[in-house]
Amino acid sequence: MAFSDTPTLSHDLVRLEPLALAHHDDLCEAVSVGELWRAWYTSIPAPHAMEQEIERRLSLQFEGLMAPWAVVSAATGKAIGMTTYMNLDESNRRLEIGSTWLGREAHGTGINPAAKLLLLTRAFDELGCVAVEFRTHWHNHQSRAAIARLGAKQDGVLRSHMLLPDGSRRDTVVFSILDHEWPAARKGLLGRLVTRG
């Protein structure tokens, strides 16, 4: 079982499907609500760049460097976002969950914690990871808070870690969940999802 494999993962709220060009139109619709791609502190594809981004992620998967999924609402059957395993390090049993975005209408619906439950369960229980990382822009406070709610702990900040297309520098906040922390993190996620019912 390779880290770059993308089996379909299912929960009552969400289904993670292997990313495909067939998801293009749904993803363009999802990203257009509120023009999410305009947020300066994150990298979300604009509708006109969606096909290129799908192809980029699939190319990285072909090279064994990424596992890309479409995030699909179980209620509507429509793709509402994207997520990946990236920075795959099979020899050290580590990976990062990242390059994730959800359409604005999915925010606060339980879809994000349900998707993370699926991804973390696969990483720890099926792939045998010892650590799963999350990284985000220092200024993306919404993302930082969401990562902390998963039970991840902040490892540190990589200062001036990336040069962004507009010439600004990104300070990257690094979080992780370790294998021995996963049982508690799983209980926290399950508890959040139960209280939604």
Side-chain angles (χ1 to χ4, degrees):
M1 189 180 319
F3 279 25
S4 59
D5 290 345
T6 50
T8 298
L9 307 174
S10 297
H11 182 275
D12 290 345
L13 293 174
V14 68
R15 188 170 61 253
L16 301 182
E17 297 179 355
L19 182 65
L21 285 170
H23 295 112
H24 174 271
D25 292 351
D26 285 353
L27 293 171
C28 288
E29 182 181 331
V31 80
S32 293
V33 177
E35 298 185 332
L36 288 179
W37 72 91
R38 295 193 187 279
W40 66 273
Y41 52 77
T42 190
S43 297
I44 297 175
H48 70 270
M50 192 65 68
E51 182 175 346
Q52 180 181 352
E53 178 60 12
I54 292 170
E55 289 175 344
R56 183 187 75 84
R57 292 183 188 214
L58 293 176
S59 176
L60 288 170
Q61 182 179 26
F62 182 77
E63 296 174 41
L65 301 174
M66 180 179 276
W69 282 274
V71 181
V72 176
S73 167
T76 67
K78 296 180 75 170
I80 53 171
M82 305 163 96
T83 192
T84 75
Y85 285 164
M86 53 195 285
N87 293 321
L88 307 180
D89 186 354
E90 291 193 38
S91 61
N92 289 303
R93 295 165 44 208
R94 300 178 65 94
L95 56 80
E96 177 187 347
I97 295 174
S99 291
T100 300
W101 65 267
L102 291 176
R104 185 152 297 181
E105 294 176 346
H107 294 188
T109 62
I111 285 175
N112 185 53
K116 293 302 190 293
L117 178 65
L118 293 171
L119 292 168
L120 287 163
T121 298
R122 175 167 169 74
F124 287 115
D125 298 349
E126 297 177 24
L127 299 178
C129 286
V130 297
V132 174
E133 282 188 13
F134 302 86
R135 296 182 177 206
T136 192
H137 195 299
W138 173 264
H139 290 286
N140 193 341
H141 298 288
Q142 181 180 356
S143 178
R144 289 170 62 183
I147 292 169
R149 282 194 303 275
L150 296 174
K153 295 182 173 54
Q154 184 174 316
D155 295 322
V157 181
L158 303 175
R159 300 177 65 202
S160 290
H161 178 233
M162 297 171 65
L163 294 175
L164 300 181
D166 66 0
S168 65
R169 297 180 188 187
R170 168 176 147 156
D171 290 348
T172 298
V173 188
V174 182
F175 295 82
S176 66
I177 298 175
L178 304 182
D179 53 354
H180 69 273
E181 297 167 337
W182 167 230
R186 177 173 44 214
K187 284 182 182 178
L189 281 167
L190 290 170
R192 286 172 61 191
L193 292 166
V194 165
T195 60
R196 299 198 61 80

